[in-house]
Amino acid sequence: MYTKPDISFENIQVAFASKSDKALKKMYLIFSLLDNNLMAKWGVVLAVLSLKLRLPVKSILKRTIFDHFCGGESIQDSRST
């Protein structure tokens, strides 16, 4: 028998209680940039080009986009997240 979980994302105070103001501002900036189609498309192009040219952008990408959308680089990292 299927039972509905007691999880609700309606109350944003509860949903984001574990995040600091700094983390919330970072999330807002990331989503604001991704909301702009031109910025999102060029961001992907520049990121791929920068990685191919071996420019030191990997740490920047990891601290921003990767950190926000991914739980970790391995199963162990993801479990702690």
Side-chain angles (χ1 to χ4, degrees):
M1 180 173 144
Y2 175 77
T3 58
K4 187 176 178 181
D6 288 338
I7 299 173
S8 172
F9 295 102
E10 308 250 339
N11 186 341
I12 61 171
Q13 289 178 330
V14 172
F16 297 111
S18 65
K19 301 291 184 188
S20 68
D21 286 349
K22 183 179 178 180
L24 291 172
K25 288 176 184 176
K26 179 177 149 184
M27 292 162 78
Y28 178 78
L29 176 64
I30 290 171
F31 280 117
S32 295
L33 292 173
L34 293 176
D35 189 41
N36 180 325
N37 288 334
L38 185 62
M39 183 67 99
K41 287 179 185 179
W42 277 104
V44 170
V45 170
L46 290 173
V48 169
L49 181 64
S50 298
L51 290 170
K52 284 183 181 180
L53 294 173
R54 298 180 189 246
L55 296 176
V57 295
K58 194 172 185 178
S59 65
I60 294 169
L61 293 174
K62 188 171 181 179
R63 286 181 289 150
T64 55
I65 304 297
F66 181 87
D67 187 40
H68 183 75
F69 291 105
C70 302
E73 290 187 51
S74 69
I75 297 294
Q76 296 299 339
D77 291 345
S78 299
R79 284 186 180 147
S80 65
T81 301

